[in-house]
Amino acid sequence: MCRVVDLRQAVLAKNDEAAGTLRAELTARGTAVVNMLSSPGSGKTALLERELLLARERGVPVAALTADLATENDAVRLARSGVPVKQVLTDGLCHLEAGMLGRHLDGWLPEDTRILFVENVGNLVCPASYDLGESLRVVLASVTEGEDKPLKYPTAFGLAQLVVVTKTDIAEAVGFDEAAFRANVQRVNPGVEVALTSARAGEGVGVLLDRALAVGAGAGAHTPVMARDPHAHGHGHRHDHDHDHGQDHDHGDGSGSGQQHGTPQSVVQTR
């Protein structure tokens, strides 16, 4: 049992080292990274599409990398914004890792990029434990998912630097209790900002862009209590998650095939 725990810690320690290196490199070139985590179907892609369009309207150089187990659907959708977009297929891996992200950015990310939005794999368990070298970690939850979501996934919400509620245009129809949700967020992450958004109605659109620009300009991001845990390393990630690290997570070298597979020019299919 001790050996298994040590293996998990070793995997995360290696990831944290890669994340620190990537963060330093991107910060030096003036690029802020927004790591977006949520469950599948939260409306993450819809909101990101609106944010990318807004960034283009404002003349802010941004890019987006989206990760999925399969299909290029999200990348095709985001590419409509006209900004550089890259699809990463994880071949079954339920999260991105810092080394993997770094390899996919190498030679692709435009030098003038001020904000890189990373749409992580739809999952609130595995991705929560992996620092990607981000400047801002955002956790999203739709009004349809229930007010107790932060209590069910305390590591994901507990490490968030911004919590975003999506699909607020249907909040009344589904009986969403905003006060209860906010209270539960504060239980696991005191002081974190909770923003309300609706990609369809336009409510709150721009919150990701504005917060990322502020962080990139040197404004301090929220420091979660969990990230200050002296028993955690690096980004403050807990090591008690349940999925197995006893396998090699390096799925490919990130070089890709270079084939477009009929997708828009700004979408790069890679494995």
Side-chain angles (χ1 to χ4, degrees):
M1 180 62 69
C2 291
R3 190 179 67 83
V4 173
V5 172
D6 288 344
L7 178 59
R8 290 174 176 175
Q9 292 179 342
V11 169
L12 290 171
K14 180 179 179 181
N15 180 81
D16 284 353
E17 182 179 357
T21 300
L22 183 59
R23 181 180 292 107
E25 292 174 352
L26 292 174
T27 299
R29 60 186 275 178
T31 302
V33 179
V34 179
N35 184 9
M36 302 173 62
L37 291 76
S38 78
S39 299
S42 68
K44 180 166 75 267
T45 306
L47 180 61
L48 180 53
E49 184 178 13
R50 293 292 300 268
E51 296 281 344
L52 297 179
L53 287 168
L54 180 60
R56 189 176 182 191
E57 290 173 9
R58 292 184 182 178
V60 180
V62 301
L65 181 146
T66 182
D68 279 303
L69 276 67
T71 83
E72 302 173 356
N73 295 349
D74 287 351
V76 171
R77 181 175 180 178
L78 294 176
R80 297 185 306 205
S81 66
V83 310
V85 173
K86 186 170 189 177
Q87 177 75 59
V88 173
L89 298 182
T90 65
D91 290 329
L93 187 62
C94 62
H95 61 276
L96 287 173
E97 297 178 6
M100 181 191 308
L101 177 61
R103 290 191 296 274
H104 282 291
L105 297 184
D106 187 28
W108 168 74
L109 187 67
E111 285 293 331
D112 66 343
T113 303
R114 290 183 62 188
I115 303 172
L116 169 65
F117 291 97
V118 177
E119 186 178 17
N120 218 315
V121 180
N123 186 332
L124 283 177
V125 181
C126 306
S129 295
Y130 286 84
D131 182 3
L132 297 183
E134 66 260 23
S135 312
L136 183 67
R137 175 175 288 216
V138 181
V139 175
L140 303 92
S142 73
V143 298
T144 62
E145 296 179 63
E147 296 80 4
D148 61 347
K149 201 80 169 184
L151 304 182
K152 289 183 175 181
Y153 300 94
T155 301
F157 283 89
L159 286 170
Q161 293 169 300
L162 173 66
V163 174
V164 173
V165 179
T166 61
K167 305 184 183 181
T168 56
D169 54 302
I170 61 171
E172 184 175 355
V174 300
F176 177 67
D177 188 335
E178 180 186 338
F181 180 84
R182 287 181 178 274
N184 289 334
V185 169
Q186 295 305 313
R187 283 181 61 183
V188 299
N189 194 345
V192 70
E193 178 185 2
V194 177
L196 304 180
T197 67
S198 168
R200 178 181 295 177
E203 179 186 4
V205 172
V207 64
L208 299 182
L209 180 61
D210 290 342
R211 300 300 182 273
L213 285 171
V215 170
H222 170 70
T223 302
V225 172
M226 189 178 292
R228 297 196 294 267
D229 180 358
H231 301 294
H233 68 263
H235 202 59
H237 298 142
R238 291 170 53 182
H239 299 162
D240 58 351
H241 49 92
D242 296 329
H243 83 282
D244 181 16
H245 289 295
Q247 57 180 321
D248 183 4
H249 290 335
D250 189 358
H251 290 244
D253 62 4
S255 60
S257 64
Q259 299 177 356
Q260 295 296 323
H261 301 289
T263 60
Q265 186 174 0
S266 60
V267 181
V268 181
Q269 170 64 45
T270 58
R271 293 184 184 272

